[in-house]
Amino acid sequence: MEFLDQYQKIVAEAIEKHTFTNKPDELYHPMNYIISHGGKRLRPIMVLMACDLFKGDLQKALKPSLAIEFFHNFTLIHDDIMDEAPLRRNKPTIHTLHGINVGILSGDALLIKAYQFFEDLEPELFKKCIKIFSETGAVLCEGQQLDINFENMTNVTYDDYIQMITSKTGVLSASSFQIGALIAGASEEDAEAMYNFGKHIGIAFQIMDDYLDVFGNQEQFGKKHAGDIYENKKTILYLLALEHANAEELSELNYWYSKKTDNVDKVYSVEKIFRRTKVDDKVLRLIQKHNEIGQSYLDKINLSDEEKLPFRELANYLLRRES
């Protein structure tokens, strides 16, 4: 994945160039902290890749790609507060280090800075990109609220889950590709195809995230093991387990998901049911299904297979995270 390293270097240099030196430190230091622990920075890379695919100017797409990255990190700060998460990317979360008030404020400031990164675009393109960006933000908030609602709902369906992860995760990947394509001057049809490619890859990525929460290597994954089980999250693993559990297993699942507890017996018992109902295998097949749907949208774009190959490689790479 040499091409990925090249994009990561471009993004890393741009982020370093835009390190916050403003005052007060209490606001800007946490913003620099989370941006500097940015993981693989896949979403800004998606912007740049789409721009490259349609022969666009990467320098023109660079600030909008940072907008996506800053926005993404804003959502992570607030998600961690809502989830009371102690770790993010194997580092203490901002609210753990600085308190909830600083977490809320630094997240808000990142969101505002994200919008400012679009200001160099010419008016018509600025309007298109900001419209997509704002709609994405609104939909993402809807997805987050659905995720919260699911914790206390007893009748969450598979379709509910797909709607939630599409809103919470899929649309950000989708918009990253779409914005990059539009900045490069791609047609509306091609930009829409890139959007749908990103949406399904994002769905597959989130399903993999749910899978790794339980079955992943905690040290490599960088989060608390089985945090979704502790929090009673109605993930795809839980929903498939409900569907395939016998009466005894169903009763046990309902018992554990009726309470929030840090009791390790809860995780052990739920994991055992997940394995007995083979939801791990079923989830991996579902991930591959959305990967294939996403890649089918690449076929709609009238460019060579060679030009589209990095996107197929990226999709496959995202779904081969350590487990």
Side-chain angles (χ1 to χ4, degrees):
M1 297 288 286
E2 187 177 332
F3 76 91
L4 202 58
D5 294 336
Q6 293 170 351
Y7 286 118
Q8 284 175 333
K9 184 179 179 183
I10 292 170
V11 173
E13 288 174 353
I15 286 175
E16 186 174 352
K17 179 182 176 183
H18 291 280
T19 297
F20 296 112
T21 57
N22 317 55
K23 300 292 183 182
D25 289 337
E26 292 80 3
L27 174 65
Y28 289 101
H29 174 73
M31 294 161 67
N32 286 328
Y33 172 81
I34 193 165
I35 293 293
S36 69
H37 298 146
K40 294 180 175 61
R41 292 167 175 154
L42 294 169
R43 290 157 191 85
I45 287 172
M46 291 172 182
V47 177
L48 299 181
M49 285 181 66
C51 184
D52 248 354
L53 179 64
F54 296 99
K55 310 298 188 292
D57 178 0
L58 281 191
Q59 286 304 310
K60 187 175 180 180
L62 195 51
K63 281 188 177 181
S65 79
L66 295 187
I68 298 289
E69 179 68 1
F70 279 40
F71 174 81
H72 175 59
N73 280 278
F74 141 71
T75 67
L76 297 183
I77 294 173
H78 285 198
D79 279 2
D80 288 339
I81 292 171
M82 286 182 261
D83 292 342
E84 299 178 1
L87 292 176
R88 167 71 62 179
R89 299 164 182 152
N90 267 332
K91 303 284 185 180
T93 48
I94 284 179
H95 71 275
T96 302
L97 292 173
H98 303 284
I100 290 175
N101 289 345
V102 169
I104 292 170
L105 198 58
S106 59
D108 291 345
L110 273 179
L111 174 61
I112 294 165
K113 295 293 183 182
Y115 271 93
Q116 292 178 325
F117 278 129
F118 287 102
E119 291 173 355
D120 292 346
L121 298 177
E122 59 266 30
E124 191 59 34
L125 184 57
F126 173 83
K127 184 177 178 181
K128 281 183 182 180
C129 290
I130 285 294
K131 184 174 187 291
I132 294 166
F133 191 63
S134 296
E135 286 175 352
T136 298
V139 170
L140 196 143
C141 290
E142 293 167 6
Q144 176 69 1
Q145 185 61 57
L146 286 174
D147 193 20
I148 294 168
N149 291 353
F150 288 178
E151 291 182 27
N152 298 313
M153 289 172 57
T154 57
N155 58 342
V156 177
T157 67
Y158 171 81
D159 288 341
D160 292 334
Y161 168 84
I162 293 297
Q163 179 189 353
M164 184 271 289
I165 65 169
T166 300
S167 299
K168 189 174 176 181
T169 302
V171 294
L172 192 55
S173 299
S175 300
S176 299
F177 284 121
Q178 186 180 26
I179 286 171
L182 288 173
I183 290 172
S187 68
E188 296 288 344
E189 293 77 15
D190 283 346
E192 187 69 21
M194 292 304 302
Y195 179 91
N196 284 304
F197 167 73
K199 180 176 76 172
H200 283 280
I201 297 307
I203 290 171
F205 184 85
Q206 182 57 53
I207 296 173
M208 178 61 86
D209 212 55
D210 291 351
Y211 172 88
L212 291 175
D213 179 77
V214 176
F215 298 109
N217 182 310
Q218 181 188 358
E219 185 176 330
Q220 291 170 323
F221 193 40
K223 293 183 183 179
K224 177 182 178 181
H225 172 66
D228 290 342
I229 295 176
Y230 284 115
E231 294 295 322
N232 294 336
K233 293 287 180 89
K234 306 300 194 302
T235 67
I236 190 63
L237 283 78
Y238 168 80
L239 295 174
L240 287 174
L242 283 185
E243 184 180 339
H244 296 280
N246 61 34
E248 182 182 345
E249 291 164 343
L250 197 58
S251 175
E252 191 172 358
L253 272 177
N254 288 333
Y255 168 77
W256 286 118
Y257 275 77
S258 68
K259 57 178 71 182
K260 271 193 181 181
T261 173
D262 281 343
N263 186 340
V264 71
D265 289 342
K266 175 178 180 176
V267 172
Y268 175 77
S269 299
V270 172
E271 273 192 43
K272 193 162 64 173
I273 293 171
F274 285 173
R275 292 186 188 278
R276 284 205 302 258
T277 52
K278 295 183 169 32
V279 298
D280 47 343
D281 293 336
K282 294 177 176 68
V283 165
L284 290 175
R285 287 198 294 272
L286 188 59
I287 289 166
Q288 187 55 36
K289 172 189 168 185
H290 279 282
N291 185 16
E292 290 170 359
I293 293 171
Q295 296 202 38
S296 73
Y297 281 99
L298 281 181
D299 298 332
K300 300 177 186 295
I301 298 171
N302 189 25
L303 291 170
S304 71
D305 289 340
E306 184 180 356
E307 289 171 300
K308 291 183 279 191
L309 181 60
F311 293 85
R312 301 191 194 282
E313 291 180 347
L314 175 66
N316 292 329
Y317 165 76
L318 291 177
L319 304 179
R320 283 199 305 267
R321 292 181 287 164
E322 294 295 332
S323 59

